[in-house]
Amino acid sequence: APPPGPPPGVHICRTDQAVEFWLKAELPSWKTPTRFKTFNSKLKPAGDAFAGFVKPGTRLYTIHRSRCAQFYDHLMAGGLARSSAANVQSYLTRFFKWAQGAGYYPDDKTNPAAGHIRLTAADKAPKRGTGFQAFKTEQLRAMFAPDAFAALPTLKDRWLVVLALYTGARSNELARLELLDVGPDEDTGIAVLDINNLAEDKTTKSDASIRKIPIHPDLLALGLLDRVEARKAAGETRLFPGNLLTQNGPAASTSKAFQVALKAWGIAPRGKKRWGFTR
């Protein structure tokens, strides 16, 4: 028997069509290269997989919480990590929220995709032997010895690696710094790196990532502020040259150069852990 008609005010729409409409509506918000990569590798596959699981021709308004729960169970039974399934849940929650606003799903119902997967501390903890590994003091001394440090080919590469060492900031946060972001803080007068998202091409991991980092005296002695003044005199507006719109961010080339240099230095991580910058 055909399903009952839609509730008042709800349009009949196939699930696959609704996913297609949603992705088109979402796309303008994912326009930077890094976000566009995430759109194609995570958001779109999540929507398409859900439409395939419930059968594309299924009317969206007929889908209930139990069907979403079955989808998440199906993903995890197929080997998807619970934390990754939670990411899929966040995308589908966003999809159904859009569908409610667009009139394809009743807005008086609880979002059917939300609240199924709640991550515990154990879920969020990195798996043993994976993730990033800290360098040992003797390794750092070997890396930053003048002759060895020359393995990094450009001045940009060397500055980014040194700044990452002293600040712990993500490489793309550093690579996107504007000259206005480096210098005395207007309230305290202390020289800082201002990590912000004031420009359209800037991104931060979260709102909590917006911060000011005091510049270490070693960086001042190395001439960081002199570099700022030299770049200003040359008519530049950014601390580092390079394309800000590369797929993996403006620090991608430095990250690659750093990995090559590690091999030249003979430094390798233990197990499956890795070295390098976080993006």
Side-chain angles (χ1 to χ4, degrees):
V10 175
H11 304 292
I12 295 177
C13 188
R14 292 163 48 111
T15 300
D16 58 341
Q17 290 177 328
V19 167
E20 180 183 351
F21 298 155
W22 169 62
L23 291 172
K24 287 182 178 179
E26 282 275 1
L27 187 56
S29 300
W30 300 75
K31 56 186 177 181
T32 65
T34 302
R35 286 177 60 78
F36 185 65
K37 178 181 178 182
T38 302
F39 177 89
N40 282 322
S41 65
K42 296 183 179 180
L43 200 73
K44 187 177 187 302
D48 291 342
F50 179 69
F53 178 79
V54 301
K55 295 183 181 179
T58 300
R59 296 178 181 182
L60 185 65
Y61 70 85
T62 66
I63 295 176
H64 301 290
R65 287 184 59 80
S66 60
R67 197 62 174 139
C68 293
Q70 291 167 0
F71 175 60
Y72 301 140
D73 289 342
H74 165 74
L75 293 179
M76 289 185 282
L80 189 68
R82 185 174 175 82
S83 58
S84 298
N87 289 334
V88 173
Q89 175 180 251
S90 69
Y91 299 140
L92 289 185
T93 299
R94 188 165 173 156
F95 163 62
F96 275 98
K97 184 176 180 180
W98 168 86
Q100 288 174 322
Y104 296 123
Y105 196 84
D107 60 5
D108 60 345
K109 289 186 177 181
T110 301
N111 191 311
H116 296 273
I117 304 173
R118 300 183 185 278
L119 297 181
T120 65
D123 293 324
K124 297 177 183 178
K127 293 182 180 179
R128 181 177 297 178
T130 63
F132 284 93
Q133 184 176 338
F135 291 106
K136 296 181 179 180
T137 302
E138 58 269 24
Q139 291 173 326
L140 292 172
R141 286 175 177 159
M143 291 160 52
F144 288 92
D147 291 343
F149 199 55
L152 291 169
T154 70
L155 191 59
K156 174 186 175 181
D157 296 335
R158 296 168 191 170
W159 267 115
L160 277 175
V161 170
V162 170
L163 287 173
L165 172 70
Y166 275 87
T167 66
R170 294 180 177 88
S171 58
N172 280 327
E173 291 176 336
L174 297 170
R176 288 189 172 97
L177 283 170
E178 297 176 273
L179 297 178
L180 292 175
D181 299 329
V182 186
D185 179 68
E186 60 182 10
D187 296 324
T188 65
I190 297 173
V192 299
L193 300 179
D194 186 358
I195 307 296
N196 59 66
N197 55 10
L198 296 178
E200 185 176 350
D201 50 63
K202 289 182 179 178
T203 58
T204 53
K205 195 76 171 179
S206 66
D207 290 342
S209 298
I210 297 173
R211 63 207 186 277
K212 293 181 180 180
I213 305 172
I215 298 175
H216 194 281
D218 288 355
L219 297 175
L220 299 176
L222 286 170
L224 179 59
L225 297 187
D226 293 336
R227 177 178 174 82
V228 170
E229 294 305 317
R231 298 281 291 168
K232 286 180 180 178
E236 302 292 343
T237 60
R238 297 188 175 274
L239 186 60
F240 298 106
N243 184 5
L244 296 173
L245 300 180
T246 56
Q247 181 170 276
N248 292 321
S253 60
T254 295
S255 182
K256 183 176 180 180
F258 184 67
Q259 297 299 326
V260 172
L262 285 173
K263 292 181 180 179
W265 297 327
I267 298 176
R270 296 175 62 187
K272 296 181 180 179
K273 291 194 175 185
R274 52 201 172 108
W275 313 112
F277 300 119
T278 55
R279 292 176 181 163

